[in-house]
Amino acid sequence: MPDTTAPIPARFITFEGGEGVGKSTQVKRLLNNLERHNVRAVRTREPGGTPKAEAVRSFILQGRSESWGAGGEAVLFAAARLDHVNQLIAPNLRKGNWVLSDRFHDSTRAYQGLTGGVDEKLIGALETLALNGHNPDLTIILDMDPEAAFKRVAAREVEEGLAETGDRFEKEELDWHKRLRGGFLAIAEANPDRCVVISADQGEDELEAAIWAIVSARFPELGGRTA
């Protein structure tokens, strides 16, 4: 019988997509699924994940960096990502822990690059610096029509008492969000070996099952482990 307690190679999985598609929920659900299969895993987010990166997150999402322009924000995101990789992602992977991140470098490409107009050369240089070779093993892009996603965001903010306080990216116009969606789909098309697009326009349980099917197929070493 297979040893279901033996360590398996550490993997780095990122979740991407527009606003309101359910990334945070599905990161938590995948973490729980991995732990039920005796896989050590940690979850994190971008921007954020470390004290310094969380400070950058607060600065940007409060709108305090808008006057810097998309290029300045790309640099800020890269600085936060560099600390995130060095202080959290790389150390956990070295320990054999899987890392699940709610957003990573593809968000900079989609938001500041493909949607914000920042030059590809700058995006690429910042990416090389910040990642330092730590590319995701799998990127799950949750795709949904922005109008439907807006309804989710509005319902969530009302439930949480945040109806008037959405962050600056959620407040962008619908056309901007449609272009953002196109940006993520373009990234997936350009990176078919790493990226998988899943429709987020389904129930949370169904989406969780679809994600688990993809993860377990991509990493067959999970197959012999008991839930």
Side-chain angles (χ1 to χ4, degrees), residues 114-138:
L114 296 174
T115 305
V118 177
D119 185 78
E120 164 66 24
K121 291 182 180 179
L122 174 60
I123 293 290
L126 293 173
E127 196 171 277
T128 299
L129 171 67
L131 269 62
N132 192 25
H134 294 88
N135 293 288
D137 296 294
L138 171 66

Side-chain angles (χ1 to χ4, degrees), residues 14-17 106 137-143 184-185 187-189 191-199 210-211 213-215 218:
T14 57
F15 282 70
E16 298 284 2
D106 290 316
D137 296 294
L138 171 66
T139 296
I140 296 170
I141 297 178
L142 300 184
D143 179 55
F184 278 117
L185 294 177
I187 289 170
E189 184 176 3
N191 298 274
D193 293 337
R194 174 174 63 85
C195 299
V196 177
V197 178
I198 305 177
S199 172
I211 290 170
I214 287 169
V215 171
R218 179 64 62 97

Side-chain angles (χ1 to χ4, degrees), residues 174-188:
L174 179 60
D175 181 66
W176 186 92
H177 284 277
K178 289 181 177 179
R179 288 188 287 116
L180 178 67
R181 181 191 191 190
F184 278 117
L185 294 177
I187 289 170

Side-chain angles (χ1 to χ4, degrees), residues 44-222:
T44 186
R45 67 177 184 177
E46 284 217 346
T50 64
K52 291 178 181 178
E54 288 290 338
V56 174
R57 177 189 182 90
S58 178
F59 183 80
I60 292 174
L61 295 188
Q62 289 173 9
R64 297 166 64 190
S65 64
E66 283 188 84
S67 62
W68 296 28
E73 287 188 335
V75 172
L76 286 174
F77 279 120
R81 183 165 300 124
L82 179 63
D83 190 68
H84 190 202
V85 168
N86 289 342
Q87 301 301 320
L88 189 147
I89 294 171
N92 271 285
L93 292 173
R94 285 196 296 269
K95 292 176 185 176
N97 298 329
W98 288 42
V99 177
L100 313 180
S101 185
D102 180 350
R103 296 200 183 282
F104 195 56
H105 71 296
D106 290 316
S107 281
T108 299
R109 284 192 167 272
Y111 281 79
Q112 282 73 45
L114 296 174
T115 305
V118 177
D119 185 78
E120 164 66 24
K121 291 182 180 179
L122 174 60
I123 293 290
L126 293 173
E127 196 171 277
T128 299
L129 171 67
L131 269 62
N132 192 25
H134 294 88
N135 293 288
D137 296 294
L138 171 66
T139 296
I140 296 170
I141 297 178
L142 300 184
D143 179 55
M144 191 174 185
D145 179 78
E147 291 187 73
F150 277 1
K151 294 178 181 179
R152 280 191 181 180
V153 171
R156 182 190 70 201
E157 291 183 342
V158 169
E159 182 178 336
E160 296 176 355
L162 300 173
E164 302 298 326
T165 60
D167 72 47
R168 51 162 296 219
F169 291 115
E170 291 177 351
K171 291 178 179 178
E172 296 286 355
E173 296 294 333
L174 179 60
D175 181 66
W176 186 92
H177 284 277
K178 289 181 177 179
R179 288 188 287 116
L180 178 67
R181 181 191 191 190
F184 278 117
L185 294 177
I187 289 170
E189 184 176 3
N191 298 274
D193 293 337
R194 174 174 63 85
C195 299
V196 177
V197 178
I198 305 177
S199 172
D201 194 10
Q202 55 185 311
E204 290 182 355
D205 292 344
E206 291 77 14
L207 186 53
E208 176 186 353
I211 290 170
W212 181 251
I214 287 169
V215 171
S216 56
R218 179 64 62 97
F219 308 116
E221 59 267 29
L222 292 171

